[in-house]
Amino acid sequence: PLLAPAGLPEATAWGFAKVPLTATARYARLFPFLGTHPAWRHSLLRHMLVGAQVSVLAWPTALLFARFVLGPTLSTWTQILGGVGYCVLLAPPITLLALLSLAVEPHYARAVDGLSFDPSPCRRLWLRVGWCLRLIW
């Protein structure tokens, strides 16, 4: 998701659209990164909050599942497969919430403002990746 702004113009052509603030206003209390606070302009802070919010739900669930479903003692392979499954199951909600935070109107506008539309595809890609890295801070 950190390099997602690089493809915003093409994604918009394929139907990915910005989300107005009025559509996310009722979710802003649950997911503060959907709001307009100046701190959320920095994608690093938004992604850290997304990860923290998902982990608050995921860690206790994983611990309860490991304790009561898999048993009190776990073999090495059970721990390895459980860890891999845990990481795989965390990826979709984190990715979708990060893309939603990018699609909210003020963040979307900031991301698109600095994108390059150079005619050379290679130069355009490098300039867009550089812009994505600048958006982190």
Side-chain angles (χ1 to χ4, degrees):
L2 290 176
L3 293 178
L8 275 179
E10 290 79 11
T12 304
W14 282 81
F16 181 85
K18 64 182 173 184
V19 178
L21 280 175
T22 56
T24 61
R26 64 180 168 171
Y27 300 112
R29 286 189 189 267
L30 181 60
F31 301 116
F33 56 84
L34 296 177
T36 59
H37 192 276
W40 306 129
R41 289 183 302 174
H42 308 288
S43 64
L44 184 63
L45 293 175
R46 283 197 320 262
H47 292 301
M48 285 175 53
L49 183 63
V50 167
Q53 285 189 316
V54 170
S55 68
V56 164
L57 294 175
W59 285 347
T61 306
L63 290 174
L64 290 172
F65 182 80
R67 172 66 177 96
F68 294 111
V69 176
L70 299 177
T73 58
L74 302 175
S75 69
T76 303
W77 280 107
T78 305
Q79 290 180 16
I80 290 170
L81 294 175
V84 169
Y86 179 75
C87 291
V88 167
L89 290 174
L90 280 183
I94 289 177
T95 303
L96 292 174
L97 285 173
L99 289 175
L100 176 62
S101 74
L102 176 64
V104 174
E105 204 165 359
H107 309 307
Y108 182 89
R110 182 170 184 252
V112 171
D113 283 345
L115 290 179
S116 170
F117 292 94
D118 194 283
S120 168
C122 292
R123 181 170 164 74
R124 181 174 58 233
L125 174 67
W126 285 110
L127 290 172
R128 287 183 179 185
V129 168
W131 176 247
C132 290
L133 295 176
R134 283 188 54 205
L135 282 175
I136 292 173
W137 307 108

